Amino acid sequence: MSLFNVNQTVASKARNTSTVPIKDKQFLIVTDSGDIFYDSDGTRVQLTDIIVLDTESQRLALTSPFEKFYFVKGSGALWRYNNSSWVKYSGGGSTSVDKVLSVASWSDNKQNIEISGLTADQNGIVGLSQSVSMEEREAAETASLYVCGQQDGSFTVAIGGDKPTCDIPITVILFG
């Protein structure tokens, strides 16, 4: 199991798997069209409907769930009902960690980010920090950043586009 990846891109890149390769458990948020894509078992699927529920009790009380994604606000868990069973993709409790993708730390278009306590199979979300400037946001967008690996204590971010010319602040949310 790898990091629960969320990346921002544009529709033309999300639909072109040679530009943004399929990576299992990767979510793509498409900024120009508002679409969401999810990579699973070598396939990229466009998510057209996520059902939001307030509690886990509501999810468990569903007698005929649709084969869709379900987000439970009370637990913060993302589930999918698939082939008559519930599959949990994330959930319950989270920790937020602020980090910086440093211009000086790119090596072979990759950068390792160390996070104390991170495990190789822990789920989470990586995104731009709320404090990101316009320059940093544009650099992140043209870089087409994506998570390409995870191990105990760190994960690796790779560049799918242009190398950033400034540091980029990121926030990592780790699910418990």
Side-chain angles (χ1 to χ4, degrees):
M1 196 180 267
S2 63
L3 190 68
F4 178 73
N5 305 316
V6 176
N7 298 288
Q8 290 186 349
T9 190
V10 294
S12 61
K13 290 182 180 180
R15 295 180 192 284
N16 183 343
T17 57
S18 61
T19 302
V20 179
I22 292 174
K23 177 152 176 56
D24 200 35
K25 296 186 181 1
Q26 173 177 247
F27 280 86
L28 297 173
I29 307 300
V30 181
T31 56
D32 57 350
S33 67
D35 295 323
I36 300 173
F37 292 86
Y38 181 70
D39 295 348
S40 179
D41 297 325
T43 303
R44 177 159 296 150
V45 177
Q46 182 177 354
L47 302 182
T48 56
D49 191 16
I50 297 176
I51 297 171
V52 179
L53 302 170
D54 289 324
T55 66
E56 288 291 340
S57 297
Q58 287 177 324
R59 179 184 63 82
L60 295 171
L62 295 171
T63 56
S64 299
F66 298 109
E67 294 211 0
K68 294 185 177 193
F69 281 91
Y70 292 77
F71 179 72
V72 180
K73 290 191 288 187
S75 66
L78 180 68
W79 294 87
R80 180 165 187 201
Y81 191 74
N82 192 25
N83 294 324
S84 301
S85 64
W86 288 101
V87 178
K88 189 175 185 182
Y89 285 87
S90 70
S94 63
T95 303
S96 175
V97 181
D98 291 320
K99 293 291 186 173
V100 174
L101 297 173
S102 169
V103 166
S105 297
W106 293 107
S107 175
D108 196 25
N109 288 332
K110 295 180 181 176
Q111 188 169 148
N112 281 331
I113 303 298
E114 294 184 8
I115 298 183
S116 178
L118 176 68
T119 62
D121 63 351
Q122 188 169 4
N123 290 324
I125 298 171
V126 180
L128 297 177
S129 296
Q130 290 182 355
S131 64
V132 68
S133 71
M134 183 60 78
E135 176 191 14
E136 294 161 340
R137 186 176 66 89
E138 289 172 353
E141 286 176 4
T142 59
S144 294
L145 302 172
Y146 63 97
V147 175
C148 67
Q150 181 175 335
Q151 49 282 334
D152 287 341
S154 68
F155 67 94
T156 305
V157 175
I159 299 169
D162 299 330
K163 184 177 177 182
T165 57
C166 61
D167 292 349
I168 299 172
I170 60 172
T171 299
V172 181
I173 300 173
L174 301 174
F175 297 119

